[in-house]
Amino acid sequence: MTGIETKCVQSGYKPGNGEPRQLPIYQSTTFKYDTSSDMGKLFDLESDGYMYSRLANPTCDFVAKKIADLEGGTAAMLTSSGQAANFFAVFNIAEAGDHIVSSATIYGGTFNLFSVTMKKMGIDFTFVSPDCTEEELNRAFRPNTKAVFGETIANPVLTVLDIEKFAKAAHAHGVPLIVDNTFATPINCRPFEWGADIVTHSTSKYMDGHASAIGGCIVDSGKFDWTKYPDKFPGLCTPDESYHGVTYTEKFGIEGAFITKCVAQLMRDFGSNQQAQIAYLLNIGLESLHLRVKRHCDSALKVAKFLEENENIAWVNYPGLESNKYYETASKYLPNGSCGVISFGVKGGRKAAEEFMGKLKIANIETHVADSHTCCLHPASSTHRQLSDEQLVDAGVSADLVRLSIGLEDPKDIIEDLKQALL
Ligand SMILES: *Cc1c(COP(=O)(O)O)cnc(C)c1O
């Protein structure tokens, strides 16, 4: 079973004889055992099984297994949101006094998480341009750096990460590269094939795909050898006294240590596991991910080409356009398509963009992206409305910028809608 389309449908839950065809929802907080010693073995991580859904749940694990297969990883876990996935992926290996190198063009929520909330926890971040030279990138590292972070395709600015460049620098400094692969999805890019070590997702976007369920996922490639740097990663390489002295790398190998620690220690303490019903919805989304992502990308390219030729449009940003700065990088890492999100400027600035948005009929005004409904957002009059035109430029969001997420409708209808709104 090697085709990614087959994995979307078949990986994860495999029913036995006479068992339900669709993934069962294990709607239970807790699990029953015959003897205390059976349960004791679970607490000692001596046997596989479930005790409490705050840490782990079978429905979630079947879906995590599918995503691990899609990404080509060895272990995975679901989280309550994409925010939780990125927080735990970093916090699993960094603590107060540590430092992370991150691409500067990342999702706004992640930027806040890193630069405000995690900074309060004592973790420092250095943000570098995704276009920096190798030299500039190497200069960002410190002796206490524990990881490098970036997004395959950044939301919303659509920069494309040179994964090999970032992986090379991370590995030269003995730390893993964590890549948020939300926009590309494993259909269009599998960062592990280019040297990334940990992949995260907001499953709330294309994976769920129907704007129905908030969720996240962390996947481990199983390739990063923590045991080569025991001083950098004591949480993985020395006994966890809060877990009966288990040493995760010894007991679970480099393929399993990262995810097991994150579940056993961080889910136990923070309780941000995904809910079984959400995982069920996510799994339904994953079954058609390959079909939907292709359609989102094909339609987005058509719309981007239409916009590029329209006289009322000032500029178009879409990595699939030959005129785009990232076209070559995208051709290398995303040969089958990039994503369904486009940004562009309407001639006439803030006011013209607002008027244009008001005339749209098919494209709904929403803060979401990456689901089956075409939707759009004018940051200058909504999410960023408190900022002046100058402050908007500093935030990388011009006053005329419209973000458009192409859905699964007939692309001809989407183009007609844009056409009439641009008149
Ligand atoms: C939406 C998003 C997140 C946050 O995910 P939530 O599920 O909304 O918490 C993180 N990274 C990227 C790239 C996103 O698009």
Side-chain angles (χ1 to χ4, degrees):
M1 197 170 93
T2 51
I4 194 126
E5 294 86 351
T6 311
K7 290 179 184 177
C8 281
V9 181
Q10 297 271 347
S11 279
Y13 171 67
K14 295 184 198 308
N17 193 31
E19 287 179 358
R21 172 54 275 183
Q22 192 45 281
L23 171 64
I25 302 173
Y26 286 78
Q27 188 62 45
S28 185
T29 57
T30 190
F31 300 82
K32 170 249 167 194
Y33 289 92
D34 289 340
T35 68
S36 294
S37 89
D38 285 349
M39 184 175 263
K41 283 190 196 123
L42 282 176
F43 274 96
D44 284 346
L45 300 178
E46 286 296 334
S47 68
D48 281 344
Y50 296 89
M51 44 187 161
Y52 195 48
S53 289
R54 187 203 318 134
L55 285 82
N57 172 284
T59 306
C60 297
D61 279 356
F62 285 123
V63 183
K65 169 96 180 49
K66 176 179 281 189
I67 299 175
D69 266 9
L70 291 172
E71 288 286 3
T74 54
M77 62 190 279
L78 301 186
T79 57
S80 55
S81 67
Q83 287 297 105
N86 283 327
F87 171 66
F88 290 111
V90 174
F91 197 64
N92 204 30
I93 46 173
E95 60 187 34
D98 287 341
H99 172 257
I100 306 289
V101 174
S102 173
S103 164
T105 53
I106 52 175
Y107 176 64
T110 312
F111 187 78
N112 264 325
L113 169 70
F114 288 174
S115 62
V116 180
T117 302
M118 290 185 82
K119 192 164 190 319
K120 280 189 201 159
M121 301 169 90
I123 301 171
D124 249 349
F125 289 79
T126 298
F127 294 97
V128 294
S129 161
D131 308 330
C132 64
T133 63
E134 284 191 35
E135 208 188 4
E136 286 164 339
L137 184 52
N138 284 322
R139 249 187 278 133
F141 286 81
R142 300 180 193 164
N144 57 344
T145 302
K146 295 300 168 73
V148 178
F149 184 92
E151 289 177 13
T152 313
I153 305 173
N155 176 10
V157 290
L158 308 176
T159 54
V160 179
L161 192 72
D162 185 343
I163 303 173
E164 283 190 318
K165 177 177 77 180
F166 275 72
K168 189 174 156 207
H171 297 159
H173 292 86
V175 300
L177 172 64
I178 304 172
V179 172
D180 181 332
N181 197 32
T182 298
F183 264 32
T185 83
I187 303 302
N188 284 344
C189 179
R190 287 173 298 281
F192 295 155
E193 292 172 2
W194 303 99
D197 303 287
I198 307 287
V199 156
T200 58
H201 283 279
S202 163
T203 62
S204 325
K205 311 292 167 53
Y206 291 114
M207 283 191 167
D208 163 48
H210 299 80
S212 62
I214 297 285
C217 183
I218 307 173
V219 191
D220 183 5
S221 66
K223 284 192 222 149
F224 192 84
D225 191 353
W226 314 100
T227 63
K228 271 167 83 181
Y229 315 98
D231 296 341
K232 269 197 208 296
F233 305 108
L236 288 160
C237 303
T238 55
D240 177 359
E241 295 311 334
S242 80
Y243 234 110
H244 318 287
V246 66
T247 299
Y248 295 101
T249 44
E250 260 173 31
K251 190 141 185 112
F252 302 99
I254 59 165
E255 329 70 57
F258 187 89
I259 295 294
T260 308
K261 173 180 180 286
C262 200
V263 170
Q265 197 184 68
L266 300 185
M267 289 301 113
R268 175 197 63 191
D269 296 352
F270 289 90
S272 306
N273 198 12
Q274 198 168 101
Q275 295 297 305
Q277 299 209 23
I278 299 298
Y280 175 86
L281 290 172
L282 170 57
N283 190 53
I284 300 258
L286 290 170
E287 288 188 1
S288 62
L289 184 68
H290 52 302
L291 297 174
R292 292 184 294 101
V293 164
K294 184 174 183 341
R295 178 61 182 268
H296 282 292
C297 294
D298 289 352
S299 295
L301 186 58
K302 285 182 188 150
V303 173
K305 285 183 173 161
F306 157 78
L307 289 169
E308 204 170 36
E309 276 163 24
N310 188 284
E311 55 184 16
N312 292 321
I313 296 294
W315 53 270
V316 183
N317 179 18
Y318 184 67
L321 287 177
E322 276 173 52
S323 60
N324 191 271
K325 184 178 171 190
Y326 295 95
Y327 183 73
E328 257 181 52
T329 318
S331 307
K332 173 176 171 179
Y333 293 105
L334 304 147
N336 301 322
S338 50
C339 66
V341 180
I342 304 169
S343 62
F344 56 92
V346 180
K347 278 189 190 160
R350 187 187 293 249
K351 192 162 166 290
E354 235 179 311
E355 276 172 20
F356 157 76
M357 297 267 294
K359 288 195 224 157
L360 289 169
K361 295 192 175 78
I362 287 183
N364 304 158
I365 299 174
E366 291 169 19
T367 61
H368 200 245
V369 290
D371 70 77
S372 53
H373 319 84
T374 293
C375 61
C376 59
L377 182 77
H378 179 224
S381 63
S382 56
T383 50
H384 293 61
R385 66 178 300 130
Q386 74 281 11
L387 303 188
S388 68
D389 282 13
E390 294 74 48
Q391 286 173 320
L392 282 173
V393 172
D394 288 343
V397 180
S398 53
D400 62 350
L401 183 148
V402 174
R403 182 181 74 186
L404 183 65
S405 174
I406 304 299
L408 299 176
E409 304 90 346
D410 184 337
K412 288 200 250 20
D413 288 339
I414 300 170
I415 290 172
E416 280 309 311
D417 190 32
L418 295 169
K419 225 185 244 173
Q420 63 81 23
L422 284 166
L423 281 179

